[in-house]
Amino acid sequence: MPDPLSNQPVSKAQQQIADMTQRTKEEDIQKKAKEKGYSYVNLLHFSVNSDLSAFIPKEKSLQAKAAAFFKSGKKVRLAVLNPDLPATKALITELKIKGYDVSVIMCSSESLENAQKIYFKEKKEVHGEQIDNVVEDASFKTSVGELANLEELKQQIETSAADEALNTIQVGAYKARASDIHFQPEEENVLVRFRIDGVLRQVFTLHTEVYKGLITQIKYLAHLKLNIANVPQDGQYTFLINERKINVRVSIMPSHYGQTIVMRLLDSKKTFESFDQLGFEGEALRNVTESLRLPHGMILITGPTGSGKTTTMYSMLQSVDTQAKKVITLEDPIEYDLPGITQSQVDVDHDYGFAIGLRAILRQDPDIIMVGEIRDLETAETAAQASLTGHLVISTLHTNSALEAFTRLSNMGVKSFILAPALDLVVAQRLVRELCEHCAVSKPITEPEKERIQLALDSIQKKGLEAPAMPTTLRHKVGCDQCAHLGYQGQIAIAEVLRFNQELRDLILEERPMPVIYDYINQHCKMLTLYEDGVLKIIKGITTFEEVYRVAM
């Protein structure tokens, strides 16, 4: 019979036999407990608090075949295999002598072993931080092309302890390259979905009772209130897999059918690509590179949530010579650790917001400042003033296009005489999925496709930019095991990059109407639109019209 506490995948038939056998064992223990006058607990589906590992030493816990699974003040609930064992009686007596009110509760050997495994598992230290949520992934073979394997593990997830079930899900998400895990309660079950390459993919459903254990486990790890279910809560925790520390940002909010959870996975050892690998090329790449060499000015990256703004900012910072320049960031939260850079996290609860933090940074003699997001007038004005006093400031703004960036800042209340000389570069971007290299096929270009491409090429040429020749074929998605039959694997940015020149600054200073400013940009700034940059990547066989339309139209 398969070990119910093992992570090894088993067949559905084997799992059903194992489940039936374990249920019989638990029923026998429950019956025996009742005969002896004791209560019963099944710790296989109980979110055990690993902080209690220090309450009873490992040697004593193993000898007495007992484990404390609840402690509040002097009240202790002790799970035991057999209350009549001499070592168990000695432990109970010892606790009572120390003044504890001990409730003795019987459990199965599998249940007890599960609790002890959680209590006494190995802890590791990463950069001085002790992490006790260490995940071994040898048995998890899931990749983005093998998500069906997680469906096969569903039975194991639903019969495992809460911590094992959560590990199965989060390791599966990590190996599938998912950025987020979504738990969405429905009327009869709970949907589990992964966001892969920016698109949600349903993996499987869970029973509501299993989900309750997962909620408790997630809240415990994220240091959230276990007994609060009617208000939103945010927290974080880490787990270690293959010597990589994964930060998990947890967001919980009440919904019609229960608490919905979104968990963002952030790999602390993630490496950031160069700008051309991100998707920047030609005039756009040249403008980004030149702006980063300036001693002062403001660079803004705009776009909606999930458009890769943070990745682009971190890539910019990683390209800086930190030996010669002091770089300080102000983030909410700090998502990745960058060597050679001072990173600071805002704490609104203690009156440490972006505006206050930015003023503090200016007293630290920085060369380059990264502000996670400009959200209000005070932050915007302070950032603009910093760029005018000898600092290069990099930040993000939520606008749909590069042209809307200074409109948004103006509407916030930033004066044109501050804004015009401060802004040097605005990047608006989106992420499109890249065609799978293993299955994409080339097909002759159709007339409708040719017409759409020609319109974009004509617009590009009118801006004085070099346009490629009309292709004879275009690559199309197919779908295979490597890409989970989606046809796509990976993401790349499409961007519009606006570089400010003196004429554009003069128009802003003169507070000319926005249509006049837009016309000037279209005629003189050599800026590709998101759609035009997307068409160039379609011609190169990187992505498809479907993807460009999804994010840029």
Side-chain angles (χ1 to χ4, degrees), residues 110 129 131 194 267 291 303 335 393 399 451 504:
E110 289 83 2
E129 177 185 356
I131 299 176
F194 294 167
D267 187 346
S291 290
E335 295 192 5
V393 179
T399 65
E451 289 175 8
L504 180 55

Side-chain angles (χ1 to χ4, degrees), residues 133 170 181 218 222 235-239 246-250 262-266:
N133 192 23
Q170 63 190 12
I181 302 170
I218 292 168
Q236 60 180 309
Y237 67 91
T238 60
F239 70 90
I246 309 300
N247 297 314
V248 184
R249 312 287 184 185
V250 178
V262 176
M263 300 161 59
R264 172 151 291 184
L265 308 182
L266 301 168

Side-chain angles (χ1 to χ4, degrees), residues 119-165:
Y119 285 158
F120 307 122
K121 65 185 175 182
E122 177 187 6
K123 295 190 177 185
K124 293 193 178 183
E125 195 169 281
V126 179
H127 302 305
E129 177 185 356
Q130 198 172 62
I131 299 176
D132 59 8
N133 192 23
V134 180
V135 179
E136 300 297 335
D137 78 327
S139 61
F140 295 99
K141 303 301 181 185
T142 305
S143 68
V144 69
E146 300 171 330
L147 288 180
N149 289 356
L150 281 179
E151 176 62 39
E152 294 172 5
L153 287 173
K154 176 183 174 181
Q155 292 293 324
Q156 178 187 327
I157 290 169
E158 294 195 331
T159 55
S160 297
D163 70 314
E164 295 287 355

